[in-house]
């Protein structure tokens, strides 16, 4: 059974690209071996991530994410059974949110600054789908 999990968290060191690079590197290696796909958006000290795969594998990964010391305030936005993957082309795609056009962010937010803590998981997933449709996702692996 496939599931999709969406969460948000805050970077402990938002000015360090090393933490984000480390998360992406480890995710790509781990995810390929475990049938997990997804996307990681980062910027302004925020991580917004969608992960898809088998229920057991996604649940185990989320347990590791919650205890990961590179970020805090991990909050589950959405968890659902799915019939197909939306981010199947990426072991972990990436989007630098600070490089997004503010009009894209305003489409899904009250202010021109993305705050997934203040919107529903459905809204955050809609933003991720738009990013995928507009080819804003990097790191195809």
């Amino acid at each position: 059974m496939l599931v999709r999990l969406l969460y948000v968290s805050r970077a402990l060191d938002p000015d360090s690209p090393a933490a984000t690079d480390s998360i992406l590197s480890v995710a790509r290696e781990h995810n390929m071996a475990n049938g997990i796909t997804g996307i990681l958006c980062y910027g302004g000290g925020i991580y917004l991530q969608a992960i898809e795969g088998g229920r057991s594998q996604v649940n185990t990964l989320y347990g590791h994410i919650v205890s990961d010391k590179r970020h805090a305030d991990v909050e589950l936005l959405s968890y659902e059974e799915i019939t197909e993957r939306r981010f199947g082309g990426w072991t972990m795609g990436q989007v630098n949110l600070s490089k997004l056009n503010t009009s894209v962010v305003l489409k899904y937010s009250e202010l021109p600054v993305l705050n997934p803590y203040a919107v529903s998981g459905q809204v955050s997933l809609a933003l991720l789908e738009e990013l995928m449709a507009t080819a804003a996702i990097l790191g195809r692996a």
Side-chain angles (χ1 to χ4, degrees), residues 2-79:
L2 290 174
V3 299
R4 179 180 307 109
L5 183 149
L6 182 65
Y7 78 90
V8 64
S9 65
R10 296 187 194 284
L12 288 182
D13 188 0
D15 298 323
S16 171
T20 301
D21 291 344
S22 172
I23 289 169
L24 286 164
S25 175
V26 169
R28 288 180 177 138
E29 184 176 321
H30 171 270
N31 293 356
M32 184 171 286
N34 289 282
I36 293 175
T37 57
I39 178 175
L40 175 68
C41 298
Y42 55 91
I46 297 284
Y47 291 119
L48 174 63
Q49 186 172 31
I51 52 177
E52 302 168 322
R55 181 172 40 203
S56 178
Q57 291 87 347
V58 168
N59 291 348
T60 298
L61 177 57
Y62 186 65
H64 292 294
I65 289 167
V66 169
S67 63
D68 190 321
K69 301 299 181 198
R70 294 172 289 194
H71 55 141
D73 303 328
V74 178
E75 191 169 308
L76 183 64
L77 299 177
S78 173
Y79 184 94

Side-chain angles (χ1 to χ4, degrees), residues 38-139:
I39 178 175
L40 175 68
C41 298
Y42 55 91
I46 297 284
Y47 291 119
L48 174 63
Q49 186 172 31
I51 52 177
E52 302 168 322
R55 181 172 40 203
S56 178
Q57 291 87 347
V58 168
N59 291 348
T60 298
L61 177 57
Y62 186 65
H64 292 294
I65 289 167
V66 169
S67 63
D68 190 321
K69 301 299 181 198
R70 294 172 289 194
H71 55 141
D73 303 328
V74 178
E75 191 169 308
L76 183 64
L77 299 177
S78 173
Y79 184 94
E80 62 184 328
E81 294 177 358
I82 58 175
T83 57
E84 63 184 31
R85 298 172 192 249
R86 290 193 178 145
F87 307 104
W90 297 275
T91 54
M92 191 48 58
Q94 69 187 77
V95 176
N96 185 336
L97 296 172
S98 64
K99 294 184 178 184
L100 285 182
N101 185 316
T102 56
S103 65
V104 173
V105 176
L106 275 172
K107 185 174 178 180
Y108 300 98
S109 179
E110 295 175 8
L111 300 171
V113 176
L114 183 68
N115 182 2
Y117 290 99
V119 298
S120 71
Q122 185 178 16
V123 167
S124 294
L125 185 58
L127 170 63
L128 295 180
E129 289 175 338
E130 179 160 334
L131 295 174
M132 184 175 63
T134 59
I137 300 174
L138 304 174

